[in-house]
């Protein structure tokens, strides 16, 4: 499990005790809350260099970087919304998990990370009854069975300020690239300052209703230094980014050119 939220690293070979996996999830959850991903921090630093000197946007970006430094030095969350734990798990088909059930072990690690890390407990057991589970579980767990004898876990706590701004559209086959760009731009325009820009926008295209949403969520975890390997989609990412930043929402909604850092 990576401490940087998203890059995936080998965890085990062939036989894995579920308790060990839970401990790794626990450690990752705590680290996620207090550290910015290095690629995201570099993107904010680059945006700060390009911001108009003495502008409100430059001041906001300075505060974000200061907040990130405090998070690491003081071990406190970089945001009060420490989100819902989303776990992407690639499980090698040659791995044998011993002990607790896989999902129980992951949820145990999530619970320990949120409770011991003194992170905000936001999750309720039922969306209508609204009774808090008091340990931020259950997590959302996406599993894939893949070749090999290792398990790769990717922890991505998702704050609800951004999650509430998510949207889905079912396009007809006749939709153009510009239609997609316009929809993504409209989503960000309607969101305004609510997701606390500067943001990274994850876009999923293709599949069916739920798969496109899964792709969008997973796209948020891609290293920001890497563009889509397909030049058609890399160009589409840049087109979306330019369109979004032309909205003028700016960092934290105070106006400016840095509404989004990247579109993946």
């Amino acid at each position: 499990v990576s401490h940087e939220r998203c890059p995936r690293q080998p965890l085990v070979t062939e036989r894995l005790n579920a308790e060990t996996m839970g401990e790794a999830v626990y450690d990752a959850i705590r680290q996620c809350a207090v550290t910015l991903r290095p690629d995201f921090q570099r993107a904010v630093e680059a945006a700060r260099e390009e911001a108009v000197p003495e502008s409100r946007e430059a001041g906001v970006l300075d505060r974000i970087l200061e907040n990130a430094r405090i998070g690491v030095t003081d071990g406190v969350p970089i945001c009060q919304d420490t989100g819902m734990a989303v776990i992407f798990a690639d499980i090698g088909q040659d791995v044998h998990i011993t002990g607790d059930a896989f999902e129980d072990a992951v949820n145990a690690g999530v619970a320990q990370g949120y409770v011991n890390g003194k992170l905000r407990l936001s999750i309720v057991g039922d969306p209508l009854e609204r009774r808090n589970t008091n340990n931020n579980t259950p997590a959302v767990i996406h599993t894939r069975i893949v070749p090999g004898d290792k398990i790769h876990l990717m922890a991505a706590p998702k704050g609800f300020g951004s999650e509430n701004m998510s949207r889905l559209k079912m396009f007809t086959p006749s939709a153009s690239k510009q239609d997609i760009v316009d929809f993504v731009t409209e989503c960000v325009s309607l969101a305004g300052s609510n997701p606390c820009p500067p943001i990274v926008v994850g876009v999923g295209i293709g599949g069916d209703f739920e798969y496109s949403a899964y792709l969008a969520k997973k796209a948020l975890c891609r290293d920001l230094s890497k563009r889509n390997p397909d030049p058609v989609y890399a160009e589409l990412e840049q087109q979306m980014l330019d369109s979004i930043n032309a909205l003028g929402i700016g960092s934290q909604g105070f106006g400016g050119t840095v509404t989004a850092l990247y579109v993946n």
Side-chain angles (χ1 to χ4, degrees):
V1 172
S2 170
H3 292 172
E4 297 169 10
R5 288 193 187 180
C6 293
R8 294 179 294 179
Q9 299 176 355
L11 179 63
V12 294
T13 57
E14 199 166 12
R15 293 183 65 86
L16 170 67
N17 186 286
E19 183 178 349
T20 302
M21 185 167 53
E23 291 172 354
V25 171
Y26 158 66
D27 190 40
I29 290 295
R30 293 183 64 191
Q31 291 297 321
C32 287
V34 302
T35 60
L36 277 184
R37 281 168 38 186
D39 56 327
F40 189 90
Q41 177 145 342
R42 287 192 295 268
V44 176
E45 291 169 345
R48 173 61 184 89
E49 289 296 317
E50 296 179 6
V52 176
E54 308 302 325
S55 66
R56 283 183 295 179
E57 184 162 69
V60 166
L61 295 170
D62 281 336
R63 297 298 178 272
I64 291 173
L65 293 171
E66 179 185 14
N67 192 54
R69 287 191 294 271
I70 293 171
V72 172
T73 57
D74 293 4
V76 295
I78 54 178
C79 178
Q80 52 82 23
D81 184 355
T82 49
M84 185 176 197
V86 179
I87 307 295
F88 295 93
D90 288 353
I91 303 175
Q93 62 187 19
D94 298 325
V95 173
H96 176 64
I97 300 173
T98 62
D100 293 339
F102 169 77
E103 291 196 0
D104 290 345
V106 170
N107 278 315
V110 169
Q112 189 179 12
Y114 275 87
V115 173
N116 291 4
K118 296 180 173 60
L119 309 181
R120 197 177 86 184
L121 306 177
S122 306
I123 304 305
V124 296
D126 183 278
L128 300 182
E129 294 180 355
R130 310 301 297 165
R131 283 196 288 269
N132 200 296
T133 62
N134 294 318
N135 60 12
N136 227 57
T137 66
V140 174
I141 305 173
H142 299 285
T143 59
R144 293 195 315 155
I145 305 300
V146 299
D149 61 356
K150 294 177 174 62
I151 290 180
H152 297 265
L153 297 177
M154 186 159 61
K158 189 64 161 56
F160 289 99
S162 58
E163 188 71 3
N164 286 343
M165 299 299 106
S166 302
R167 296 178 69 197
L168 174 73
K169 182 178 178 65
M170 305 305 290
F171 285 95
T172 63
S174 62
S176 66
K177 293 179 185 176
Q178 189 59 51
D179 290 333
I180 296 171
V181 171
D182 290 345
F183 173 69
V184 172
T185 306
E186 179 188 47
C187 290
V188 177
S189 178
L190 292 173
S193 63
N194 289 322
C196 299
I199 57 178
V200 174
V201 182
V203 180
I205 302 175
D208 60 359
F209 185 93
E210 77 273 10
Y211 190 65
S212 57
Y214 164 81
L215 291 174
K217 183 67 66 67
K218 200 168 185 181
L220 294 173
C221 295
R222 195 178 75 206
D223 190 318
L224 298 184
S225 66
K226 300 177 181 178
R227 305 295 357 115
N228 194 297
D230 186 323
V232 172
Y233 285 95
E235 181 182 354
L236 192 61
E237 288 173 337
Q238 188 62 50
Q239 189 178 351
M240 290 176 180
L241 181 63
D242 293 341
S243 180
I244 288 168
N245 285 333
L247 292 171
I249 295 170
S251 299
Q252 296 298 307
F254 288 117
T257 60
V258 189
T259 302
L261 296 170
Y262 283 94
V263 178
N264 287 353

